[in-house]
Amino acid sequence: MHGMSFAVINPATEESIAELDAAGVEETDAAVARAKAAFPEWRSVAPTDRARLLRRLATLVEEHTEELARIESQNVGKPIGGARAEVGMVAQVFHFYAGAVDKHHGETIPVAGGVDLTFREPLGVVGLIVPWNFPLNISSWKLGPALACGNTVVLKPAELTPLSALRLAELILEAGIPEGVVNVVVGPGRIVGQRLVEHPAVAKIGFTGSTEVGRTVMQGAAETIKRVTLELGGKSANVVFADADLEKAAAAAPYAVFDNAGQDCCARSRILVERCAYDRFVELLVEATRKVKVGDPENEATEMGPLISAQHRETVASFVDGDPLFRGDTPDGRGFWFPCTLVEATNDDRVAREEVFGPVAAVIQFTDEDEAIRIANDTPYGLSGSIWTENGARALRVARALETGVLSINSNSSVRASTPFGGFKQSGFGRELGMHAMDGYSEVKNVFMAT
Ligand code: TXE
């Protein structure tokens, strides 16, 4: 693989925007060696200094919002407005973990015959494997806690979307974080990613991607008993009860699945609607979906861009046959466009069972609360979801019953810098964001001293 170059494509124009050399095993090993060499110094940086470096990085990200947003928009096809908001979150994440550095600490435990202390120790070198849908965001979710805990890092962005991680690596150095602490390796998952998974000097893999590759990562990690955090696929439910504010629920529902052109692990791609409100809700939903502005990501008004690649578009298309409830428009000309699509389905249909990862929503009816819960949970996944109802007790009752890691009530919102994010069931395990992520990038050490 070493020396082979590849083109990075803008999915809205199908044009090449960069040529990069793909790394292979040798470059991956060299990056791990650099991270290993940098570890003793980085773990010993005083907590307040480590916090200051992370805060400086957060500020640099803020100052480079426009540049980073343009890179992300061109490489992923994201509408520029949304890309800016994502960069805003990246800065918030680094601010949050700057503050977390000295707030994640051990305890003293009462024992007989001495003093018992726990310490939070960094793991060492961690391998961070990131997908193409939110390249910069997901990188920051892993880098923040990894660095705050004192680990050094090899970061592998997805082959299709390496540009923002490369620019971030420059800002990391500019912030004053020592060389070798963060190393970015661009190359194929089955070579660079797999090498990180197998490498004996890598202590942990933080992975986001498909459930299928997540399974391979988990298997590979078993050999060296590596720690793993897996953020995998989703098939989340947007549960709309008849007692909801239907206008509000219908206005929000398209953005819960068509944001990022549906290429979102949190996409609420199964819209479950109570039968007695079904016709009215579907009417409102179709109207709201019709209003989603699909087109040039550089246009400030655009809400949905193209899919990531031609190959991915083929996969998405394979989920739609027959007459959908609604099919939107797409721009003419080049770009991997796919229309916003609403399909009537039962929960047994393929479109309701598999992660489409495109702008296709399955609309499914239910008769009562018990059936809503049963259908919502009838999936191997368990990442996110929404519940729409004006009945507070019902909202919490259903929230407790759903097998999913992240839920919102009367909202689409899934992620914030300070709150835990992660899956149940085959959506993975371990938590990102918030203080919970710090547990995934540290070990607890117990020390007893006889007195
Ligand atoms: O993901 P992959 P892909 C789902 C979604 C999408 C499908 C395929 O349904 O259509 O997966 O996307 C690296 N060892 N999701 O192919 O392959 C790879 O280089 C180690 C859902 O992009 O899982 C990339 O950096 N690493 C998901 C990362 O893993 C390997 C987000 C993810 O790639 C590897 C993305 C290997 N053997 C895709 N093979 C979500 N739900 O957020 C690949 N990689």
Side-chain angles (χ1 to χ4, degrees), residues 234-237 239 269-270 272 346-355 362 364-366 369-384 401-404 425-427:
K235 194 71 210 178
S236 299
V239 185
S269 53
R270 291 183 299 148
L272 275 46
T346 74
N347 203 50
D348 295 327
D349 295 335
R350 178 170 168 246
V351 71
R353 306 230 48 98
E354 296 177 25
E355 184 176 46
I364 300 167
Q365 299 191 24
F366 66 86
E369 192 177 305
D370 284 347
E371 196 187 22
I373 294 167
R374 189 186 58 69
I375 295 175
N377 286 340
D378 179 16
T379 167
Y381 296 111
L383 191 50
S384 77
L402 294 190
E403 298 158 351
T404 185
K425 304 198 284 189
Q426 291 186 31
S427 290

Side-chain angles (χ1 to χ4, degrees), residues 129-133 138 156-159 187-190 193-194 197 207-211 213-214 216-217 231-234 264-265 312 355-357 383:
I129 301 178
V130 170
W132 46 260
N133 54 342
I138 294 176
K156 195 206 89 61
E159 302 88 303
R190 61 179 195 290
Q194 196 166 320
V197 171
F207 174 85
T208 302
S210 59
T211 294
V213 175
T216 310
V217 167
E231 297 293 347
L232 309 175
D264 184 345
C265 46
H312 187 52
E355 184 176 46
V356 179
F357 227 54
L383 191 50

Side-chain angles (χ1 to χ4, degrees), residues 31-340:
V32 173
R34 277 197 301 277
K36 196 176 169 192
F39 177 60
E41 186 195 334
W42 180 243
R43 74 169 300 177
S44 324
V45 170
T48 46
D49 290 336
R50 210 185 297 144
R52 191 144 29 104
L53 292 168
L54 282 172
R55 196 157 283 122
R56 204 180 288 157
L57 174 59
T59 305
L60 278 173
V61 168
E62 278 162 355
E63 287 168 4
H64 291 79
T65 298
E66 196 55 30
E67 183 197 352
L68 291 167
R70 298 251 160 227
I71 294 173
E72 203 79 324
S73 170
Q74 284 173 9
N75 197 170
V76 192
K78 286 177 190 290
I80 185 66
R84 268 188 217 114
E86 286 178 27
V87 177
M89 185 187 191
V90 171
Q92 277 176 25
V93 167
F94 288 130
H95 277 304
F96 178 86
Y97 286 106
V101 170
D102 54 7
K103 290 166 198 69
H104 187 249
H105 40 64
E107 57 208 322
T108 59
I109 299 169
V111 290
V115 176
D116 194 276
L117 308 165
T118 65
F119 293 88
R120 303 281 193 163
E121 304 287 9
L123 302 170
V125 178
V126 298
L128 308 181
I129 301 178
V130 170
W132 46 260
N133 54 342
F134 294 98
L136 202 55
N137 243 294
I138 294 176
S139 296
S140 74
W141 299 358
K142 300 182 191 307
L143 283 168
L147 296 176
C149 289
N151 302 283
T152 56
V153 169
V154 178
L155 170 68
K156 195 206 89 61
E159 302 88 303
L160 294 170
T161 58
L163 300 183
S164 54
L166 291 171
R167 184 64 186 112
L168 183 68
E170 293 173 343
L171 296 180
I172 286 170
L173 289 178
E174 203 179 320
I177 293 172
E179 221 156 301
V181 173
V182 177
N183 307 272
V184 177
V185 184
V186 176
R190 61 179 195 290
I191 296 174
V192 173
Q194 196 166 320
R195 180 61 187 155
L196 286 174
V197 171
E198 289 166 358
H199 202 299
V202 173
K204 183 215 165 105
I205 296 289
F207 174 85
T208 302
S210 59
T211 294
E212 191 188 347
V213 175
R215 202 169 281 126
T216 310
V217 167
M218 199 169 162
Q219 276 162 356
E223 195 56 42
T224 48
I225 316 291
K226 253 182 207 57
R227 283 90 187 101
V228 284
T229 305
L230 301 175
E231 297 293 347
L232 309 175
K235 194 71 210 178
S236 299
N238 194 2
V239 185
V240 182
F241 287 98
D243 62 10
D245 179 335
L246 292 183
E247 273 83 12
K248 213 167 136 198
Y255 300 96
V257 55
F258 303 137
D259 261 353
N260 213 40
Q263 303 165 125
D264 184 345
C265 46
C266 290
R268 278 85 163 147
S269 53
R270 291 183 299 148
I271 306 177
L272 275 46
V273 188
E274 192 166 351
R275 198 174 302 275
C276 57
Y278 186 80
D279 290 343
R280 173 74 185 130
F281 181 81
V282 165
E283 198 181 308
L284 292 166
L285 176 66
V286 166
E287 271 327 292
T289 305
R290 203 185 298 283
K291 288 187 193 141
V292 177
K293 298 185 190 75
V294 182
D296 182 1
E298 285 187 34
N299 185 331
E300 295 287 340
T302 295
E303 294 174 317
M304 189 177 107
L307 293 172
I308 190 72
S309 67
Q311 193 193 347
H312 187 52
R313 180 169 57 187
E314 264 179 50
T315 310
V316 172
S318 76
F319 283 91
V320 186
D321 50 14
D323 254 349
L325 263 178
F326 175 80
R327 180 189 278 122
D329 296 325
T330 53
D332 297 328
R334 293 169 78 91
F336 307 124
W337 304 100
F338 197 88
C340 291

